[in-house]
Amino acid sequence: MASRFLRMEYNHTLGDATALDPRFKKVAFGDARAADEAFQRIATAAGRVTLSSSEPSQQPDQQEGAGSAAEGSVVWRYFHDRVAGAVSTRNPTADAIMEVRSYLEEPLLPKSSDPLKWWESWATLYPRLTKLMAERLCIVATSVPSERIFSKTGQIVSERRNRLKPSKVRELAFLNANLP
């Protein structure tokens, strides 16, 4: 096992997928430095994620606490203008780092739980990490499906069928892989 999986946690793809799985986070890493590097990569990538205006944000509601009588007040208007200026100048990198820190403080999910359902329920709290998770956790963890297709293609192209065009082989392999 040690020779086959040596330094696997330094593989960026696998490390990021492991870190974004709420069942494992840092616990699955044997080397703390590899875990720190994975979460640093995640924080950097999350800082580059752009949130659309339709997605929920963690910004405070500007009208909260203002009564209907006080809305016309110069003092409240000045306050709301300052809040709007502070909210619009937020740093996405700092927000991403705070998301990662908050995510790490969450308790580990039981091993039998579904991480995708967990991310679905926490998407409003971690919008950047949810987008990253959708990119990283869709990676197939095994090579069996690709090996199965390769083997099936070897059966399609035989000595008796060696004149098949590559496009026909692709079509036959596609059909064999997708038919029940």
Side-chain angles (χ1 to χ4, degrees):
M1 291 287 279
S3 65
R4 175 133 174 115
F5 299 112
L6 181 68
R7 299 185 52 85
M8 182 177 281
E9 55 201 8
Y10 284 97
N11 179 316
H12 296 316
T13 305
L14 297 175
D16 292 356
T18 301
L20 287 170
D21 191 328
R23 298 172 298 174
F24 305 119
K25 297 181 188 177
K26 284 189 174 188
V27 175
F29 290 89
D31 186 2
R33 192 174 69 198
D36 292 339
E37 288 176 11
F39 281 103
Q40 182 64 38
R41 279 192 310 274
I42 289 170
T44 302
R48 290 190 300 258
V49 169
T50 56
L51 300 176
S52 65
S53 60
S54 63
E55 292 179 11
S57 65
Q58 298 174 344
Q59 300 170 354
D61 188 11
Q62 294 178 3
Q63 299 300 325
E64 188 176 321
S68 59
E71 277 185 23
S73 169
V74 174
V75 174
W76 281 112
R77 217 173 309 136
Y78 173 74
F79 175 75
H80 288 301
D81 290 344
R82 284 193 61 181
V83 168
V87 167
S88 65
T89 59
R90 293 183 67 163
N91 185 348
T93 305
D95 288 346
I97 291 170
M98 293 305 294
E99 268 189 46
V100 169
R101 285 184 183 165
S102 179
Y103 166 69
L104 284 172
E105 290 175 4
E106 292 289 335
L108 289 177
L109 199 60
K111 185 181 155 199
S112 61
S113 298
D114 185 1
L116 297 178
K117 288 182 182 176
W118 186 90
W119 277 109
E120 184 180 5
S121 65
W122 289 89
T124 56
L125 188 59
Y126 306 117
R128 289 177 173 82
L129 292 180
T130 302
K131 278 192 166 191
L132 281 178
M133 177 279 310
E135 295 171 2
R136 305 285 201 293
L137 286 188
C138 65
I139 299 166
V140 178
T142 179
S143 62
V144 172
S146 61
E147 291 173 7
R148 191 173 291 136
I149 292 171
F150 187 79
S151 175
K152 191 64 173 177
T153 305
Q155 293 171 356
I156 292 171
V157 179
S158 64
E159 282 188 38
R160 299 184 85 192
R161 300 177 80 186
N162 63 0
R163 291 183 165 252
L164 290 173
K165 293 181 181 178
S167 61
K168 185 61 79 176
V169 172
R170 268 193 299 275
E171 291 171 0
L172 289 170
F174 176 81
L175 291 173
N176 277 300
N178 292 303
L179 290 177

